[in-house]
Amino acid sequence: MSVPKQNTILGVVCIIGLFSGCGNPKESKETTDLPADTAATTAVQQVCYRQVMGSDTTKVNLFVNGAVVMGELAVLPAEKDRATGKFSGTMAGNQVVADWERSGEGVTQTHEVNFTMKGDSLLWREGERVEKQGKWVLADPDKGYQYVLTKVDCN
């Protein structure tokens, strides 16, 4: 079964929108950045989350295609230590495990992030990290600051 050309173009536009920060399409039939075995028939769902604490904002733009997830995470404190970047990983149940290409303070590093989807919230913990096999992981996954982002309109 072939996918109509319009749906293929819409899928590409959706992924381009993700990386440019303007993704309006909430669903499409195909995207070229996902593995071929999941991309052809599964709808891509876009979900956005935000946490605002005073002048500090944290945003997640998440695209889900079956068990495959990708998106962008931006930690934007008013003062310093901003960090942004794309992530990709997998989802099982309400748990997302992804590698985040975190760019901040002139350095790009791979950080493992673990999101928990709970109702209209996305929970994410940040704390002391250690490097393991070229990736920065939480030293103690049960400690540190817990972000609680609320689902928002992606427009």
Side-chain angles (χ1 to χ4, degrees):
M1 178 172 147
S2 68
V3 177
K5 186 175 182 178
Q6 287 177 318
N7 286 346
T8 302
I9 292 169
L10 182 59
V12 171
V13 168
C14 180
I15 295 305
I16 290 170
L18 163 68
F19 295 122
S20 68
C22 328
N24 285 339
K26 296 215 179 195
E27 291 190 6
S28 66
K29 290 291 182 193
E30 182 178 4
T31 176
T32 57
D33 287 6
L34 297 168
D37 59 335
T38 59
T41 59
T42 309
V44 175
Q45 178 185 11
Q46 180 183 16
V47 188
C48 299
Y49 298 91
R50 181 174 303 132
Q51 174 184 292
V52 177
M53 300 286 288
S55 315
D56 302 338
T57 301
T58 303
K59 301 186 291 185
V60 172
N61 192 0
L62 180 68
F63 285 85
V64 180
N65 186 340
V68 177
V69 296
M70 59 188 333
E72 193 163 26
L73 169 59
V75 179
L76 307 168
E79 296 296 321
K80 61 178 186 165
D81 299 332
R82 291 177 172 232
T84 61
K86 298 172 187 151
F87 63 83
S88 63
T90 58
M91 182 162 59
N94 66 341
Q95 299 292 314
V96 173
V97 177
D99 287 341
W100 177 34
E101 294 303 315
R102 180 191 184 280
S103 294
E105 301 176 30
V107 176
T108 299
Q109 300 171 320
T110 302
H111 282 216
E112 180 180 85
V113 291
N114 297 289
F115 299 120
T116 300
M117 300 172 88
K118 187 174 183 180
D120 282 344
S121 297
L122 183 74
L123 310 175
W124 166 56
R125 192 169 294 278
E126 186 56 75
E128 179 185 354
R129 290 186 174 265
V130 294
E131 188 174 10
K132 288 189 178 174
Q133 300 175 349
K135 186 186 312 184
W136 290 89
V137 299
L138 289 174
D140 186 342
D142 296 324
K143 291 187 179 177
Y145 177 75
Q146 180 161 330
Y147 289 88
V148 180
L149 289 75
T150 304
K151 193 178 205 179
V152 295
D153 186 14
C154 292
N155 297 326

